[in-house]
């Protein structure tokens, strides 16, 4: 995928697992996991799987999809629900966004690690984000000045890969951010530094921050009991 030529929809689908799943025979669960893996691999859509097991009370795992259309994302989730495993999962959070060029970072083309084919890091932190209406009423020059400070702080953490996408008009947030990082403490340090920048004055909402651990489909499903 090349973001320079195309724009994409991002879908972050979080699921809870029905406790009845844990009572299934181990062999049946193993076969079901392989069925899901096969369905998603052959769906033609880009996806990554992550575990939230034990890290949240509102989600057990995340499927992060990147598609060229909403219909492509819907089709992949439809196929998931038609598997045996799909009968035992319940959506708990869903976020929708799309990629587009930043108005504050000129020449940006390699910011979306997932889109550009970079290998995933150990963790992703999924982060819906909304700024105040006052922010959008500031002159463009002032917003650029504030964002320049924000960007300079972020440059101190090159090990944190930022996927910035936009939810204006298609979901409840302004932005959907996905920070990829091997060491979660690096992300925590970044956020603590960003809290001291001017842009934090104009944050309306930046929760939940959902920490996810990268897992392939079969070991992910096996870990669910």
């Amino acid at each position: 995928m090349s973001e320079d030529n195309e724009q994409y929809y991002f879908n972050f689908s979080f699921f809870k697992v029905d406790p009845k799943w844990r009572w299934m025979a181990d062999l049946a669960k193993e076969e079901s996991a392989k069925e899901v893996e096969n369905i998603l691999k052959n769906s033609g859509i880009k996806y990554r799987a992550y575990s939230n097991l034990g890290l949240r009370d509102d989600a057990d795992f995340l499927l992060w999809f990147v598609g060229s259309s909403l219909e492509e994302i819907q089709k992949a989730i439809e196929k998931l629900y038609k598997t045996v495993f799909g009968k035992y999962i319940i959506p708990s959070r869903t976020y929708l966004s799309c990629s587009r060029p930043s108005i504050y970072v000129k020449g940006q083309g390699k910011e979306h690690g997932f889109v550009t084919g970079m290998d995933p890091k150990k963790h992703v932190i999924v982060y819906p984000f909304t700024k105040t209406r006052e922010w959008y009423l500031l002159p463009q020059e002032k917003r650029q000045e504030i964002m320049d400070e924000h960007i300079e702080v972020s440059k101190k953490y090159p090990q944190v890969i930022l996927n910035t996408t936009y939810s204006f008009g298609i979901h409840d947030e302004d932005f959907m951010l996905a920070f990829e990082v091997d060491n979660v403490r690096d992300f925590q340090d970044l956020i603590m530094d960003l809290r001291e920048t001017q842009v934090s004055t104009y944050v309306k909402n930046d929760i939940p921050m959902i920490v996810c651990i990268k897992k392939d489909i079969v070991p992910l499903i096996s870990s669910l009991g």
Side-chain angles (χ1 to χ4, degrees), residues 12-181:
F12 302 87
S13 287
F14 291 89
F15 297 92
K16 289 283 289 181
V17 176
D18 189 323
K20 294 185 181 70
W21 169 257
R22 301 187 182 100
W23 292 94
M24 285 185 63
D26 289 343
L27 182 59
K29 287 188 287 189
E30 183 180 338
E31 290 302 316
S32 299
K34 291 177 181 177
E35 179 191 21
V36 173
E37 181 182 52
N38 184 59
I39 285 289
L40 291 178
K41 279 186 175 180
N42 291 303
S43 67
I45 196 170
K46 292 279 188 181
Y47 75 93
R48 289 179 180 173
Y50 295 84
S51 174
N52 306 110
L53 191 66
L55 306 180
R56 304 226 11 135
D57 62 1
D58 58 356
D60 292 318
F61 69 96
L62 160 68
L63 291 178
W64 176 8
F65 295 103
V66 176
S68 57
S69 70
L70 297 179
E71 291 79 7
E72 185 180 8
I73 292 168
Q74 275 195 327
K75 192 67 177 177
I77 296 175
E78 175 187 335
K79 290 178 178 179
L80 172 65
Y81 280 141
K82 289 180 178 178
T83 65
V84 172
F85 179 66
K87 307 296 188 292
Y88 292 87
I89 60 175
I90 303 164
S92 59
R93 289 184 179 272
T94 304
Y95 298 101
L96 179 66
S97 57
C98 59
S99 62
R100 58 190 303 138
S102 170
I103 65 172
Y104 302 111
V105 183
K106 305 307 178 185
Q108 174 182 288
K110 295 294 183 181
E111 288 299 305
H112 301 89
F114 194 163
V115 168
T116 56
M118 293 179 63
D119 290 336
K121 291 184 177 288
K122 183 177 179 181
H123 305 94
V124 68
I125 296 90
V126 177
Y127 182 170
F129 183 76
T130 299
K131 289 179 178 175
T132 65
R133 293 299 175 90
E134 288 77 14
W135 167 260
Y136 298 105
L137 297 177
L138 292 174
Q140 169 65 23
E141 295 78 10
K142 181 60 177 178
R143 282 185 282 148
Q144 185 67 60
E145 174 190 320
I146 293 172
M147 285 302 298
D148 285 345
E149 178 195 22
H150 181 89
I151 292 164
E152 282 305 307
V153 170
S154 299
K155 286 180 179 178
K156 293 164 51 181
Y157 299 90
Q159 69 274 39
V160 181
I161 303 300
L162 172 58
N163 299 263
T164 301
T165 51
Y166 299 76
S167 292
F168 293 92
I170 60 175
H171 214 260
D172 300 339
E173 306 74 33
D174 289 352
F175 307 92
M176 276 305 303
L177 309 181
F179 293 85
E180 298 182 66
V181 65

